[in-house]
Amino acid sequence: YEAFSNKLPEYKKTDLLFEGVKFESVEMDKLLTYFDLFTADITNAVDVDILTKDNIKSQMEFKVQVPRLNHVPFNVRMKVNSDKEQKAVMIMFVGPKYDSYGNILNINENRNNFWELDRWVVDFKSGENNVERKSNDFSWFVNDRTTFYELYKKLMTAVNGGEKFPLDMSEAHCGFPSRLMLPRGRVGGFAVQFFFMIMPYTAPTVERFGGFDPSISCGVGSGSRYLDNAPFGFPFNSHFDIHDYKTPNMYFFDTLI
């Protein structure tokens, strides 16, 4: 991998510049993580003797509680100046600030440690723009799915003349768990840095979600997921000119979790 990585082209400042657009400031709510007790239904996984199965298992539910990492929802507020009305793409990454020895990592040493939180289209007006994004609206992330046992109970309730079963109830088949959006914090604060970048919007070759239904599609070959025509992971998909790469359309925001 290192041999391949060393052959990647290097992004120059001109490759990353979006003229006429400039970050003025970024503000973010306090980032808090915690562990909550999650109740998992394991009824279908419990083996009951066949002679007592109908009499016992049908009357019982088996559940376990496990601690899971979670976070408090947060908002991000950005002030951006644009010299004209235009459509742009806002990119948001997060990554560690220091290595395991407490040394600050430069961008090329650290680029593979950044992961993309969100990427969305913004319509800028001429002058100052206030952009707000809620963590609950971030792309790539999905909430917990309804368990099979809950679906079964809803179905049987409907069959027996109770509450109508919602046939249009759909949930994402794949996506990263929303509760794992942030790494585990520390009592004294875990230092991270958010990276924001604005780039001109260029429509992808294949329209986003063309041939793709998030409620039933998942995996390779199930349609286009790309918002624009930028390479996946851009701009961390390649090296930077370490001596001169920062542009007004970039912003690093240091904070603690």
Side-chain angles (χ1 to χ4, degrees), residues 203-222:
T205 305
V206 178
E207 183 181 359
R208 194 183 192 197
F209 299 139
F212 172 80
D213 183 344
S215 64
I216 61 174
S217 302
C218 187
V220 176
S222 57

Side-chain angles (χ1 to χ4, degrees), residues 8-205:
L8 290 173
E10 188 177 77
Y11 282 130
K12 306 295 184 183
K13 195 169 186 176
T14 52
D15 299 324
L16 306 171
L17 179 64
F18 184 6
E19 293 185 359
V21 173
K22 179 183 179 182
F23 272 105
E24 293 295 334
S25 65
V26 172
E27 294 180 356
M28 188 177 297
D29 293 341
K30 189 174 183 179
L31 303 179
L32 297 170
T33 62
Y34 61 94
F35 282 92
D36 57 5
L37 282 177
F38 174 74
T39 302
D41 190 317
I42 61 169
T43 304
N44 289 339
V46 175
D47 185 23
V48 179
D49 185 89
I50 191 170
L51 296 178
T52 57
K53 181 177 180 181
D54 293 335
N55 295 326
I56 295 180
K57 190 173 182 181
S58 62
Q59 303 173 32
M60 299 180 67
E61 294 180 30
F62 297 89
K63 297 183 178 181
V64 295
Q65 281 192 328
V66 292
R68 301 197 310 180
L69 181 65
N70 211 330
H71 68 275
V72 176
F74 59 93
N75 295 344
V76 183
R77 294 166 293 277
M78 294 150 281
K79 284 187 179 181
V80 179
N81 262 313
S82 176
D83 64 351
K84 60 182 178 181
E85 291 187 4
Q86 55 189 324
K87 189 182 290 289
V89 174
M90 186 80 75
I91 307 170
M92 184 191 309
F93 283 79
V94 65
K97 185 173 179 62
Y98 305 101
D99 65 14
S100 57
Y101 300 102
N103 301 312
I104 294 179
L105 293 161
N106 71 49
I107 192 70
N108 285 334
E109 294 171 334
N110 205 17
R111 67 182 186 85
N112 286 324
N113 297 322
F114 278 85
W115 64 96
E116 186 172 328
L117 288 178
D118 202 10
R119 181 181 297 243
W120 73 101
V121 175
V122 180
D123 290 309
F124 286 135
K125 64 181 182 181
S126 179
E128 185 176 272
N129 295 264
N130 293 304
V131 181
E132 183 170 356
R133 192 70 168 170
K134 298 179 180 179
S135 61
N136 290 335
D137 297 330
F138 287 0
S139 308
W140 323 123
F141 298 96
V142 296
N143 296 321
D144 291 334
R145 296 178 62 187
T146 305
T147 65
F148 286 113
Y149 193 75
E150 290 176 54
L151 289 173
Y152 176 75
K153 287 195 294 185
K154 288 179 181 290
L155 178 62
M156 294 310 297
T157 299
V159 169
N160 294 325
E163 184 180 349
K164 186 177 180 181
F165 186 80
L167 294 177
D168 60 344
M169 183 177 65
S170 61
E171 297 175 332
H173 265 247
C174 57
F176 198 75
S178 177
R179 55 188 174 79
L180 300 179
M181 182 184 298
L182 297 177
R184 178 183 178 182
R186 296 174 183 166
V187 174
F190 174 58
V192 294
Q193 53 185 335
F194 282 77
F195 173 81
F196 299 89
M197 187 173 182
I198 306 169
M199 291 298 293
Y201 173 73
T202 306
T205 305

